[in-house]
Amino acid sequence: MHSNSPGTLALLIALILAITAVVANILIGYFLPNDSIVNIVLLFILALIGSFFVVNYFISRYLTEKINLIYKSIHKSKEERDSNKVINTGDDVFSIVNKEVEEWIEENEKQREQLQLREAFRREFIGNVSHELKTPIFNIQGYILTLLEGGLEDENINRKFLLRAEKSVNRMIDLVKDLDTITQLESGQLNLEKSRVNLADLVKEVIESIEEIAKEHQIKVALTKDYDPQLYVDCDKNRIYQVLLNLIINSVKYGKEGGKTEINFHVMDKNVLVEISDNGPGIESKHLPRLFERFYRIEESRSRNEGGSGLGLAIVKHIIEAHGQTINVRSTVGVGSTFSFTLRKA
Ligand code: ADP
């Protein structure tokens, strides 16, 4: 029999009971040698009290030792593991332990599912990143090889191929920058530097910065005529600049030649609704629920031609949500799209 087994405990208890009975019998025989009924009653009481305390002590010690071993295995924090739980033999000890172990199993199961989800997410993310990097890298390799194999001396192509290689390098840089931003946003490292920002001025700044691209696509980008020049919002200026930039550039990249993009503000109770509307080709409703997912593109070739990483709208959504606000899109094929988000009025 193992020294820690319940059998050893039973033997110990039996021994204690026998000793208690003998000691009680000797004591009673010594003090009350004659009265037999009283002797029996006293023997019973003494044996009961004596054995109760002794047995209770040993059972409690035994259970405390065993159950603390279980607690040490299931508790996560060192503090919890180090603290010895005192077992009260008056409680329904096994039901309590059973409940705690079941909770622990449930918690573990949840963690396992989360880890599996994260693992799948990580795999998908890495797959997407390598897929995105493949095209520009292979393009650069192709241009360099052509140049090395004689193209360098060919006046007709040497400069053209170098410019194309540069374009692919720029695309990789943009992708890496977007990846960096999204990693920061998703790991919760985003510290917003909020201030009171003039919304119209910020939009104008963005419009100015994309003037060239808009001209290239022959798209007119402007604020609505009746905008409020004194509208202030409480936001991180640089981040909201990026939101506006991504949305306005998208309206130009995916808009129709000769079209227009209009930026509107609607003052609501505590918030301002900012709308970026274009009269481009629009987006089919089946795409709308997934539009803000990272790497989601509608028309692969077109988006790729425009140098998009498919991360722009995911970044936009993260930034707006970090501000505690929301972003939406509505679109009608052949009519155009409107992206709208809210900001806190300052
Ligand atoms: P990308 O980097 O490819 O532009 P985004 O996340 O910014 O990625 O956009 C996702 C997809 O949504 C784009 O590939 C494009 O097909 C579609 N899209 C975004 N904005 C518009 C718009 N204003 N009009 C039509 N399609 C749009």
Side-chain angles (χ1 to χ4, degrees), residues 15 32 41 60 63 70-72 79 90 102 116 121 126 152 157 178 190 217 239 256 281 308 334 342 345:
L15 203 67
L32 297 161
V41 172
S60 151
L63 288 180
I70 297 176
Y71 280 130
K72 275 189 203 323
E79 248 172 48
E102 272 173 11
Q116 274 178 342
F121 168 80
I126 292 175
L152 204 59
I157 62 161
D178 279 355
L190 181 71
H217 289 78
R239 298 286 179 182
K256 66 169 182 208
T342 53
K345 231 166 35 182

Side-chain angles (χ1 to χ4, degrees), residues 93-147:
V93 184
F94 291 108
S95 294
I96 296 172
V97 176
N98 197 29
K99 193 166 155 268
E100 291 204 25
V101 170
E102 272 173 11
E103 280 169 10
W104 174 77
I105 291 172
E106 211 174 293
E107 170 104 343
N108 265 12
E109 186 59 24
K110 263 191 223 152
Q111 274 180 359
R112 200 178 58 84
E113 279 168 17
Q114 262 177 0
L115 282 177
Q116 274 178 342
L117 214 71
R118 242 185 266 167
E119 181 55 26
F121 168 80
R122 199 184 58 85
R123 266 201 304 265
E124 191 195 312
F125 191 75
I126 292 175
N128 280 326
V129 172
S130 42
H131 182 72
E132 292 302 324
L133 285 172
K134 238 181 337 202
T135 317
I137 287 177
F138 287 158
N139 283 346
I140 295 167
Q141 190 187 36
Y143 297 134
I144 292 177
L145 276 178
T146 317
L147 290 170

Side-chain angles (χ1 to χ4, degrees), residues 250-251 253-254 278 282-283 291 296-299 303 308-314 337 339:
N250 273 357
S251 77
K253 280 195 313 194
Y254 306 114
D278 64 60
I283 302 160
L291 208 60
Y296 190 79
R297 286 201 187 94
I298 293 167
E299 204 189 317
S303 172
S309 64
L311 289 171
L313 289 178
S337 314
F339 287 82

Side-chain angles (χ1 to χ4, degrees), residues 203-258:
V203 172
K204 281 184 206 162
E205 236 180 271
V206 176
I207 295 177
E208 260 171 43
S209 75
I210 56 125
E211 226 168 35
E212 280 305 309
I213 307 171
K215 231 185 252 168
E216 239 174 69
H217 289 78
Q218 295 172 31
I219 289 182
K220 194 169 169 279
V221 183
L223 266 163
T224 40
K225 287 198 184 71
D226 56 349
Y227 74 89
D228 178 357
Q230 290 306 318
L231 196 54
Y232 285 85
V233 284
D234 180 30
C235 68
D236 183 320
K237 191 175 172 187
N238 291 334
R239 298 286 179 182
I240 297 301
Y241 179 94
Q242 185 167 17
V243 167
L244 287 163
L245 185 69
N246 285 5
L247 294 177
I248 296 176
I249 283 198
N250 273 357
S251 77
V252 170
K253 280 195 313 194
Y254 306 114
K256 66 169 182 208
E257 225 169 75

Side-chain angles (χ1 to χ4, degrees), residues 24-202:
N25 206 9
I26 293 171
L27 286 174
I28 289 166
Y30 183 75
F31 290 108
L32 297 161
N34 299 323
D35 203 336
S36 64
I37 292 196
V38 177
N39 285 9
I40 290 167
V41 172
L42 269 177
L43 177 65
F44 175 77
I45 293 170
L46 275 178
L48 183 73
I49 294 172
S51 50
F52 172 77
F53 282 109
V54 179
V55 169
N56 193 41
Y57 169 77
F58 279 104
I59 286 187
S60 151
R61 229 184 68 172
Y62 182 79
L63 288 180
T64 302
E65 197 181 293
K66 297 292 160 200
I67 286 171
N68 271 315
L69 270 181
I70 297 176
Y71 280 130
K72 275 189 203 323
S73 313
I74 68 173
H75 282 151
K76 276 187 282 330
S77 76
K78 193 174 175 328
E79 248 172 48
E80 276 180 315
R81 277 200 302 271
D82 288 348
S83 71
N84 264 342
K85 228 184 170 97
V86 178
I87 304 300
N88 183 358
T89 48
D91 292 340
D92 184 358
V93 184
F94 291 108
S95 294
I96 296 172
V97 176
N98 197 29
K99 193 166 155 268
E100 291 204 25
V101 170
E102 272 173 11
E103 280 169 10
W104 174 77
I105 291 172
E106 211 174 293
E107 170 104 343
N108 265 12
E109 186 59 24
K110 263 191 223 152
Q111 274 180 359
R112 200 178 58 84
E113 279 168 17
Q114 262 177 0
L115 282 177
Q116 274 178 342
L117 214 71
R118 242 185 266 167
E119 181 55 26
F121 168 80
R122 199 184 58 85
R123 266 201 304 265
E124 191 195 312
F125 191 75
I126 292 175
N128 280 326
V129 172
S130 42
H131 182 72
E132 292 302 324
L133 285 172
K134 238 181 337 202
T135 317
I137 287 177
F138 287 158
N139 283 346
I140 295 167
Q141 190 187 36
Y143 297 134
I144 292 177
L145 276 178
T146 317
L147 290 170
L148 286 175
E149 284 163 5
L152 204 59
E153 285 76 37
D154 184 343
E155 292 285 313
N156 291 324
I157 62 161
N158 54 11
R159 193 169 170 78
K160 194 162 87 185
F161 275 30
L162 275 176
L163 285 171
R164 284 190 190 166
E166 193 212 8
K167 203 172 164 192
S168 291
V169 170
N170 286 340
R171 190 162 163 203
M172 274 168 57
I173 292 173
D174 287 345
L175 177 66
V176 170
K177 272 192 202 157
D178 279 355
L179 282 171
D180 193 35
T181 311
I182 204 121
T183 313
Q184 263 183 37
L185 292 167
E186 291 188 349
S187 58
Q189 287 169 11
L190 181 71
N191 288 324
L192 293 180
E193 286 172 25
K194 284 193 183 176
S195 62
R196 193 167 176 268
V197 177
N198 182 302
L199 196 52
D201 287 350
L202 191 63

